Amino acid sequence: MNSFSFELQKETVNGRAGKFQTAHGEVQTPIFMPVGTQATVKSLDTQDIEQLKAEIILANTYHLYLRPGTDVLESQGGVHQFMGWSKPMLTDSGGFQVFSLGKQIEQKNLAEGKTVQHGGPAQPFSRITDEGVEFTSHLDGSRHFFSPSQSIEIQRKIGADIIMAFDECTPDLADAAYTRQALDRTHRWAAECYAYWEEHQRRSVYGQYQALFGIIQGAQHQELRVESAKAITALGFDGVAVGGETIGYNMPMTVEIMQWIQQMLPADKPRYAMGLGRDPQNLLDAVQAGFDMFDCVAPTRLARNGALYSGELDSHQGGLVFRSDSAKGRLQIGNQQYMKDATVIQPGCDCFTCTHGYSRAYLNHLFRADELTYYRLASIHNVRFMVRLSQQIRQAILSG
Ligand SMILES: [Zn+2]
């Protein structure tokens, strides 16, 4: 395959349905992408992920670069072979982790009265310059540097089908002056990533075509978001993403940002909302705002914490809504009320856990006993729930 193409199949008031081709097969949108941070979707193996019909999964550049490292990945022929996954994959640029993880660690150190030491005076976790970001490994405290070109080079060695431009993920509360400065940098970095990608024939080190997506930033400033949408779409990436701390966390603001930029986004390119997909309703809102691709660690993280999705897609006055009997659309499986509950997590759910009759009572027991099998059965349900929801939304759009 020599290129990447997105076909918009249908557009309605409820959103868009489309499909795109990658070197590892087709993806139908809207699509929820399970997150496999360290080349594994936590507690699931690749057979589980295939069985729950995930069409594409995500891995994190920052984590894979630090461990096992690109030399190990290269020696194994890339991430697909390494983890035994033959379907499409996407990697982020590492930008988000370098900034957000850094801030978390700094705040934790500060709260504990520690400063980060690297054999010299205390340094912040990450330091941004116009050339890139110097940061500290959360594993061993070693110092590293990502430039836009290096981020693309690392992603070429990981070998995913879709790679992301290196951007600066500005905090929500950044003022307009700082956001403007960061945005100019993000736009210069986007151009540098694009040039590096072109220079290498848009291919991974294994010879396969890699689609490159650009990322729109601008925090909560309308004029900067609009300007960023213009700048990023002008570069002609294969797809367009919207990023930032807000996206997926503050949903009213996320939808507002999506509405600001919607008119500027080309119809024939996929639109990816980064880190969005904690609650089922989030997917509906983002699809309705014209977005096609979503990823979030929430389904597996919530599963591990005993929160299991429940509810159904429904239609109301021509629109799609999510209905659930449980608060937040999920039940707390560890609660006493489920101790003798013989029903499955969600009657009608087609996941392995529900179709094999694993009861709420059994899962309640496994969760309370902290048994390893709980993590797998619960994660299978939650991940399948979000994948199935995105597929149901797609069917609803296609059938009008
Ligand atoms: Zn299920």
Side-chain angles (χ1 to χ4, degrees):
M1 209 196 64
N2 292 316
S3 64
F4 174 90
S5 62
F6 173 79
E7 184 194 332
L8 179 61
Q9 294 172 290
K10 190 152 181 173
E11 191 165 8
T12 71
V13 288
N14 288 314
R16 307 171 359 131
K19 57 183 177 182
F20 59 80
Q21 299 291 336
T22 75
H24 286 87
E26 185 178 275
V27 174
Q28 300 187 322
T29 62
I31 188 71
F32 178 79
M33 306 182 285
V35 180
T37 300
Q38 317 235 33
T40 172
V41 177
K42 288 198 193 308
S43 83
L44 307 182
D45 66 17
T46 47
Q47 204 184 330
D48 292 330
I49 312 168
E50 265 175 51
Q51 200 161 39
L52 58 82
K53 302 186 185 77
E55 290 184 19
I56 174 169
I57 60 172
L58 191 139
N60 290 117
T61 292
Y62 166 86
H63 290 277
L64 295 181
Y65 160 80
L66 289 178
R67 181 176 58 195
T70 49
D71 56 336
V72 170
L73 288 168
E74 264 196 283
S75 77
Q76 302 303 304
V79 71
H80 284 94
Q81 284 204 53
F82 185 52
M83 68 179 288
W85 173 253
S86 58
K87 292 187 174 171
M89 274 190 86
L90 180 150
T91 44
D92 64 1
S93 67
F96 182 78
Q97 275 77 20
V98 167
F99 299 108
S100 75
L101 209 60
K103 216 166 63 171
Q104 281 170 30
I105 292 170
E106 275 171 30
Q107 280 164 354
K108 188 167 163 277
N109 285 338
L110 210 64
E112 291 170 0
K114 283 189 284 186
T115 48
V116 187
Q117 298 285 340
H118 309 285
Q123 289 179 56
F125 177 91
S126 58
R127 197 171 62 87
I128 303 161
T129 66
D130 282 345
E131 285 70 47
V133 184
E134 194 186 297
F135 62 95
T136 304
S137 160
H138 72 288
L139 298 174
D140 61 7
S142 55
R143 283 301 263 186
H144 300 265
F145 182 77
F146 276 0
S147 70
S149 306
Q150 270 167 310
S151 167
I152 299 298
E153 183 56 25
I154 295 164
Q155 293 185 77
R156 292 182 67 235
K157 289 174 177 168
I158 296 172
D161 303 279
I162 299 174
I163 61 176
M164 303 300 298
F166 191 67
D167 62 330
E168 180 174 343
C169 186
T170 37
D172 271 354
L173 297 175
D175 60 30
Y178 183 80
T179 310
R180 138 85 37 223
Q181 205 187 354
L183 194 64
D184 287 343
R185 213 163 17 227
T186 285
H187 294 163
R188 280 199 306 275
W189 289 356
E192 188 182 325
C193 288
Y194 192 95
Y196 191 85
W197 175 61
E198 284 275 68
E199 224 175 278
H200 293 83
Q201 290 75 46
R202 306 180 171 197
R203 281 169 197 283
S204 72
V205 298
Y206 315 103
Q208 125 219 342
Y209 186 90
Q210 290 183 300
L212 177 64
F213 284 24
I215 304 172
I216 295 166
Q217 290 287 353
Q220 300 187 354
H221 306 281
Q222 183 169 5
E223 72 284 5
L224 296 182
R225 283 283 179 184
V226 167
E227 186 188 315
S228 188
K230 284 179 187 158
I232 293 298
T233 54
L235 282 166
F237 290 106
D238 284 327
V240 182
V242 60
E245 217 174 31
T246 311
I247 308 301
Y249 288 90
N250 174 350
M251 276 311 291
M253 193 68 218
T254 298
V255 170
E256 207 174 321
I257 291 170
M258 287 171 165
Q259 286 163 349
W260 292 339
I261 60 175
Q262 207 179 13
Q263 292 308 314
M264 267 144 274
L265 305 179
D268 62 348
K269 301 267 171 83
R271 303 165 183 175
Y272 167 26
M274 303 183 78
L276 186 149
R278 184 188 55 199
D279 302 325
Q281 185 64 44
N282 300 165
L283 286 191
L284 290 173
D285 294 342
V287 171
Q288 197 173 30
F291 277 71
D292 312 301
M293 298 165 68
F294 315 97
D295 80 281
C296 194
V297 294
T300 47
R301 184 174 289 168
L302 288 170
R304 292 196 297 281
N305 290 318
L308 305 180
Y309 292 124
S310 88
E312 283 290 350
L313 186 64
D314 201 357
S315 62
H316 177 70
Q317 295 177 341
L320 297 172
V321 288
F322 181 77
R323 291 193 201 286
S324 176
D325 297 334
S326 321
K328 296 180 180 172
R330 48 195 190 238
L331 48 88
Q332 284 297 331
I333 197 64
N335 288 356
Q336 200 161 2
Q337 68 186 103
Y338 302 119
M339 280 182 93
K340 293 179 179 174
D341 189 338
T343 51
V344 296
I345 306 166
Q346 163 84 42
C349 173
D350 66 359
C351 85
F352 175 88
T353 306
C354 293
T355 55
H356 284 71
Y358 291 106
S359 65
R360 293 174 179 180
Y362 183 55
L363 290 160
N364 170 284
H365 160 67
L366 293 180
F367 178 72
R368 285 169 172 243
D370 199 21
E371 278 294 333
L372 295 179
T373 301
Y374 166 77
Y375 296 102
R376 174 167 173 263
L377 293 176
S379 299
I380 287 175
H381 170 80
N382 268 10
V383 176
R384 174 60 192 153
F385 192 93
M386 292 305 263
V387 170
R388 185 166 77 112
L389 183 67
S390 63
Q391 291 167 342
Q392 286 173 324
I393 297 170
R394 174 180 160 80
Q395 281 315 313
I397 292 168
L398 284 175
S399 61

